[in-house]
Amino acid sequence: MRISVIMPVLNEEKTIGAALHALLPLGPHEIIVVDGGSGDRTRAIGAQCGAKVLMTGPGRARQMNRGALQATGDVLLFLHADTRLPASAFRDIAAALSEPRYLGGRFGVEL
């Protein structure tokens, strides 16, 4: 199962590097960072970390849709730059989607 991670961002210079480095060990098919007009180094940091970086106008839905159009994976995982997934995340996704009754899902949130 190829998982495309789509990250809508806006001025995430302080969080995006750590977020992307936390994702890499999970083995995503691709990481797409969709910037809504940042005025900081968000795009540069995303590119340095190996993400495909796209630009669009502001608006989270617009950013998510732009990323979804470019994604080539079997599964789209939308993730915010301040969110960290458990080490089992991709296995959990594969297990859930192997059940025909599930078409999508979400992870629980801890603050």
Side-chain angles (χ1 to χ4, degrees):
M1 177 173 296
R2 300 174 311 152
I3 298 177
S4 295
V5 178
I6 300 166
M7 187 176 292
V9 297
L10 181 64
N11 295 321
E12 297 287 354
E13 175 180 73
K14 294 180 181 176
T15 59
I16 191 168
L20 294 174
H21 285 295
L23 271 175
L24 294 175
L26 300 180
H29 168 66
E30 62 189 344
I31 301 172
I32 302 172
V33 170
V34 188
D35 187 81
S38 294
D40 63 5
R41 297 184 58 244
T42 297
R43 290 185 300 277
I45 295 168
Q48 289 169 355
C49 292
K52 179 188 295 185
V53 179
L54 306 174
M55 294 274 308
T56 190
R60 188 166 293 152
R62 180 181 294 160
Q63 292 168 263
M64 293 167 66
N65 287 333
R66 174 86 164 94
L69 287 172
Q70 294 295 311
T72 61
D74 306 310
V75 174
L76 305 181
L77 172 61
F78 297 96
L79 189 67
H80 298 290
D82 63 353
T83 303
R84 301 299 178 269
L85 296 171
S88 62
F90 287 13
R91 290 187 306 274
D92 297 341
I93 291 168
L97 292 178
S98 71
E99 296 282 333
R101 63 187 174 160
Y102 297 124
L103 300 175
R106 66 168 182 82
F107 286 93
V109 176
E110 290 182 26
L111 300 175

